[in-house]
Amino acid sequence: MAKPHRGRVLRELFARGRGECPVCKRNNVKILYEQESGGQKFKICKTCKAAIKNGTKKLPAVEAPAAKETTA
């Protein structure tokens, strides 16, 4: 059975896969699960992944880059 979110794999990641979750803003939690929103990928914690799947939370809104106006 593969264990991609614990053990030896975590030792190779920066800070052993820990950081601040962009959804719940908790600090020093494992942020190992990828979610896509607006063409941008976020790494989130396990509890937020489950909450998004159940529909109780949403990923942060991604702002589209402003189009540059060129005068010719």
Side-chain angles (χ1 to χ4, degrees):
M1 180 169 103
K3 300 171 185 161
H5 300 299
R6 56 186 167 146
R8 184 179 65 211
V9 177
L10 293 180
R11 283 186 245 144
E12 299 167 0
L13 298 175
F14 174 74
R16 302 211 170 164
R18 294 185 177 268
E20 182 178 341
C21 179
V23 178
C24 62
K25 305 295 185 205
R26 285 191 304 161
N27 201 6
N28 204 20
V29 294
K30 291 185 199 175
I31 48 171
L32 303 171
Y33 303 91
E34 283 191 356
Q35 288 286 327
E36 189 171 338
S37 173
Q40 191 175 24
K41 290 186 178 180
F42 290 97
K43 286 206 169 215
I44 58 174
C45 66
K46 184 177 183 178
T47 56
C48 290
K49 178 183 177 254
I52 289 169
K53 186 176 180 181
N54 291 330
T56 57
K57 283 190 181 179
K58 293 184 180 180
L59 280 173
V62 179
E63 294 180 14
K68 293 183 179 180
E69 294 182 22
T70 56
T71 54

